[in-house]
Amino acid sequence: MIHYSLSILPALLSGARMTLAVFGLTIIGAIPLGLLLSLGLLAKFKPLHDGLNLYVWLMRGTPLLLQLIFVFYGLPVVGVVFNRFDAALIAFILNYAAYFAEIFRGGFQAVDNGQVEAAEVLGLTAPQTITKIIVPQTIKIVLPSVGNEVINLIKDSSLVYVIGIGDLLRAGNVASARDVNLLPLLLVGIIYLLLTAMCTWILRRLERYYRYYR
Amino acid sequence: MFQLENINQSFKGRPILTDLNLSVESGSILAIVGPSGAGKSTLLRLMSGLDHPDSGRFLINGIPYEPSHRKQGARIGVVFQDFRLFPHLSVLKNVTLAPIMVKKQTAKAAKIAGVALLQQLGLSGQTAAYPFQLSGGQRQRVAIARALAMQPEILCYDEPTSALDPSLVANVAQLILDLKNQGMTQIVVTHDIQFANQIADQIFELQPKEVQKNDEA
């Protein structure tokens, strides 16, 4: 059994590398985009606000699996063609940015308006108030919710199998079907658990760091 | 001298302040008293530039002054009722943030001035602490230090005794009188008439508009 496990491990690890690539690049793209969108959601300009609300509704209101299929198989119908990996990244970043935007919007709104007024009477400009007063307090507020999404993303990344990308789950599936053995899938589960444990640890550290104030 | 000239302010069509005229001599203490709903907080928000009056103007030493213009820092400082310290910044950083960001002081100069100010207010042991670690009285003194660090000409307080333990009220009174001795012009909004009598050179009483109408009728 150990011998068999070792024999399929390279294939699983190569799949895990793909899972991490989708995960990491989605985080790098979706968090800044979500931040930008959240500022738009808070904007007083109604068309922008309404447009972004529609966007968030579409992204959160339909399955990510469907969005993935749409980007990879649907857009070529109108002449927009992406390779598999790019299509996966676009769908994931657009989807997760919508969730992050809602989390950041709530975080910004949770910072007491008195803080903004205190900064205002001291003469701080709006950009200074945002960067020095609001954002630092928002990070602490949103950290647990962002952490939830990050953990979800590790597992959601397995949806890329539907457009034929060889991620961790697909690698396990292939080995399992070929060898008629459930052990590869058990190993896949363990690898996912290790990945989420690592993320959880990092997030806990971050939360503990932000406990320096209340 | 700080003057308010014909200030009018209404809220959703209901007049709150009508043709208000008021002046404070430099270096003196004005207490604004009155029951809740009389417009004390409204007046304070106008003086600190958080809201604009419907009409009327402010003058400092006879020259019109717009409280919401604070490019080089406001000439009117505010100590809020709930202090509104920045919870994520240490006591010293609360005090030095605006001098660095707005007055463009160097971090070093702001720090030296901030430490001196905190020492003067009896907070030299708390410079590295965070607001949540302080008592109510200490928080208030940090709020005062934060306002003073911007070197305002006038310092306004919103209900300085309401968030404090009664035993600390005498301390605040003393602190306000100490600042007066250093030449600071101060405006204290309070519902505590006893406190106002204790500190003020001049007391101005605001009445709710409905009451005034009844008096006229």
Side-chain angles (χ1 to χ4, degrees), chain B residues 91 95 115 117-128 134-135 137-145:
Chain B
V91 165
V95 174
V115 167
L117 206 48
L118 288 168
Q119 190 174 14
Q120 187 200 332
L121 291 169
L123 292 162
S124 38
Q126 276 77 36
T127 53
L134 304 180
S135 71
Q138 289 172 327
R139 272 178 225 188
Q140 183 174 53
R141 279 179 279 146
V142 176
I144 293 171

